[in-house]
Amino acid sequence: MANEYEIKKLMCDIGKRIYDRNMVAANDGNLSVKLNDNEFLCTPTGVSKGFMTPEYICKVDAKGNVIQANGNFRPSSEIKMHMRVYEKRPDVGAVVHAHPTFATSFAIAGIPLTQPIMPEAVIALGCVPIAEYGTPSTVEIPDAVEKYLPYYDAVLLENHGALTWSTDLLAAYLKMESVEFYAELLYKSKMLGGPKEFDKEQIAKLYEIRRKMGLPGKHPANICAELNGPCKGCHSTDGQCSCGSKDADKPDVEAIVAEVTRKILSQMK
Ligand SMILES: [Zn+2]
């Protein structure tokens, strides 16, 4: 792993890319990197991520408490949502939050990115659901994001922006680029009369490619394999993301088992 200073420099480089690529305005957005189980680097609040130097970067512990911060720099108020990702996904090494124009427009319109329209998006991203709106800097956003963490590597934040995570900072940033590119294509194809979606057979072939590539992270191709069928994946269920909403239309197996157990026990009395 690169040394801490190198990681801080990379955070500045990626901050500049996010700013230059119109993924944030003014002082918006934030990045974090996991150094170890109790040390995390994060960007400061109230500064443009396009103009940072390594001494801007702050360090927090697993609870988000400040370990190190130069001058008046303080960690982003959104660090709570980053920490929730690290807490629930030990495989994650970096988290990126931005407001990319097209992805955020979908988040504002309440439209998840679930339509299978191009191979790279299906293979790399799977689906991008929308985490319900929460007030920034409160635990509402981490709470809304949490239920999607076991199944996805990217979410839209309702009426707000996007959040991506991966094994390292470059991978988490590239995921944000992919989310935005996919959102832009989806938007433009809707302008041209609506996208032509892949059929289930075409999707199954793309999932197979994903499995053969052995890519890290969570994806409907792997979740379906892990869950042995019951979660059919967002693309193969008529464009709906079913993985993240197991309480929506699927039976709650634990509740059924508990109810059956209760009935049997009551008959034994
Ligand atoms: Zn934001």
Side-chain angles (χ1 to χ4, degrees):
M1 192 192 195
N3 71 36
E4 205 173 302
Y5 186 74
E6 291 295 319
I7 296 171
K8 287 179 180 177
K9 275 199 333 197
L10 183 64
M11 292 175 82
C12 298
D13 287 350
I14 294 209
K16 182 166 169 24
R17 278 169 200 263
I18 286 174
Y19 183 75
D20 289 349
R21 288 185 63 110
N22 222 9
M23 292 176 156
V24 288
N27 297 337
D28 299 348
N30 35 70
L31 314 169
S32 68
V33 174
K34 180 180 181 176
L35 295 175
N36 55 57
D37 285 346
N38 202 39
E39 289 182 300
F40 301 81
L41 297 176
C42 67
T43 51
T45 188
V47 304
S48 170
K49 307 310 173 290
F51 298 89
M52 297 187 299
T53 51
E55 66 272 17
Y56 281 42
I57 306 297
C58 303
K59 193 191 282 188
V60 297
D61 66 15
K63 292 196 168 76
N65 301 314
V66 182
I67 298 175
Q68 188 202 333
N70 295 321
N72 291 325
F73 296 121
R74 290 293 170 268
S76 163
S77 58
E78 298 286 24
I79 191 67
K80 293 186 191 85
M81 74 181 164
H82 293 241
M83 301 323 292
R84 189 70 65 92
V85 178
Y86 295 119
E87 183 192 331
K88 301 293 176 187
R89 287 283 301 273
D91 58 314
V92 168
V95 178
V96 172
H97 168 54
H99 306 155
T101 317
F102 287 94
T104 304
S105 299
F106 277 86
I108 290 169
I111 305 169
L113 302 174
T114 56
Q115 287 177 271
I117 56 165
M118 67 173 300
E120 285 81 356
V122 172
I123 292 171
L125 283 176
C127 286
V128 184
I130 301 181
E132 295 70 18
Y133 180 76
T135 309
S137 84
T138 69
V139 293
E140 290 172 15
I141 297 181
D143 286 351
V145 167
E146 182 171 328
K147 75 173 179 179
Y148 298 100
L149 291 172
Y151 309 102
Y152 302 96
D153 290 334
V155 291
L156 300 181
L157 305 173
E158 191 176 20
N159 286 74
H160 181 169
L163 189 69
T164 59
W165 50 91
S166 193
T167 47
D168 60 60
L169 182 58
L170 184 59
Y173 162 70
L174 291 176
K175 201 162 285 288
M176 185 64 78
E177 261 194 15
S178 297
V179 168
E180 176 62 352
F181 186 59
Y182 173 27
E184 183 173 356
L185 291 176
L186 193 55
Y187 175 85
K188 289 182 174 171
S189 59
K190 281 176 187 284
M191 294 298 106
L192 294 168
K196 258 180 66 186
E197 294 187 9
F198 292 137
D199 61 30
K200 289 182 182 181
E201 205 173 308
Q202 290 167 320
I203 293 164
K205 285 179 186 167
L206 295 172
Y207 279 15
E208 191 52 37
I209 291 172
R210 161 97 192 187
R211 283 192 281 267
K212 282 190 179 141
M213 288 167 81
L215 297 176
K218 306 293 183 187
H219 186 280
N222 307 104
I223 298 291
C224 297
E226 284 170 19
L227 297 186
N228 202 21
C231 179
K232 293 191 182 71
C234 49
H235 295 127
S236 53
T237 51
D238 303 314
Q240 296 300 309
C241 268
S242 61
C243 293
S245 56
K246 61 181 174 181
D247 46 349
D249 52 358
K250 283 195 214 74
D252 184 341
V253 176
E254 277 177 32
I256 292 168
V257 170
E259 176 65 9
V260 170
T261 307
R262 193 185 60 75
K263 281 188 176 158
I264 292 172
L265 287 175
S266 68
Q267 283 170 12
M268 284 167 69
K269 279 176 192 166

